[in-house]
Amino acid sequence: MLARMAGANLGAYKAGTFNDVKADSYYAQAVQWASENGITSGVRAGEFAPEANISREQMVTMIARFAALQKFSLRQVAVTSAFADSAEIPNLNTYSENTISHSCRGVGVFLHG
């Protein structure tokens, strides 16, 4: 999706960065584009984990990196409430919560109840 929004020619991208992304998978070229453009570095060296659920933090990181790549300016807003499920989020700290909240709200993603 992000590659299409950026107008990328996915045919120019060959799979190879991640061992767990099969070259013939429908998303292989998009994952490679995202890797080569700094949108994602996977979950660890050589691993993308295409079947894993994505966390809010991972999603927002990719959105923020894509915005920077496209030279979009994300609007910063004041955080007025905590995440409704903040007690269930492992290792959540104020910095992460504010970063997630600011980035998500800047692109129209609302995470608060």
Side-chain angles (χ1 to χ4, degrees), residues 56-57 59-65 67 72-83 92-112:
R56 280 183 279 214
E57 207 164 11
M59 176 189 66
V60 170
T61 298
M62 286 189 262
I63 291 170
R65 289 175 179 170
F72 294 152
S73 178
L74 297 179
R75 178 176 46 96
Q76 297 295 308
V77 297
V79 177
T80 58
S81 62
F83 289 110
L92 180 70
N93 60 44
T94 302
Y95 174 77
S96 293
E97 186 170 11
N98 287 341
T99 300
I100 291 169
S101 181
H102 286 190
S103 296
C104 282
R105 287 181 178 183
V107 294
V109 177
F110 294 92
L111 303 175
H112 297 281

Side-chain angles (χ1 to χ4, degrees), residues 10-110:
L10 292 181
Y13 293 88
K14 305 296 179 217
T17 300
F18 302 107
N19 299 325
D20 57 351
V21 176
K22 294 179 183 176
D24 63 349
S25 63
Y26 74 92
Y27 51 83
Q29 292 170 310
V31 169
Q32 190 62 31
W33 172 86
S35 174
E36 289 183 24
N37 284 281
I39 306 298
T40 185
S41 57
V43 296
R44 57 188 71 72
E47 187 179 342
F48 183 73
E51 301 295 323
N53 291 328
I54 187 169
S55 71
R56 280 183 279 214
E57 207 164 11
Q58 291 166 325
M59 176 189 66
V60 170
T61 298
M62 286 189 262
I63 291 170
R65 289 175 179 170
F66 177 75
L69 178 70
Q70 294 297 301
K71 298 184 177 23
F72 294 152
S73 178
L74 297 179
R75 178 176 46 96
Q76 297 295 308
V77 297
V79 177
T80 58
S81 62
F83 289 110
D85 64 345
S86 60
E88 300 170 29
I89 302 171
N91 302 319
L92 180 70
N93 60 44
T94 302
Y95 174 77
S96 293
E97 186 170 11
N98 287 341
T99 300
I100 291 169
S101 181
H102 286 190
S103 296
C104 282
R105 287 181 178 183
V107 294
V109 177
F110 294 92

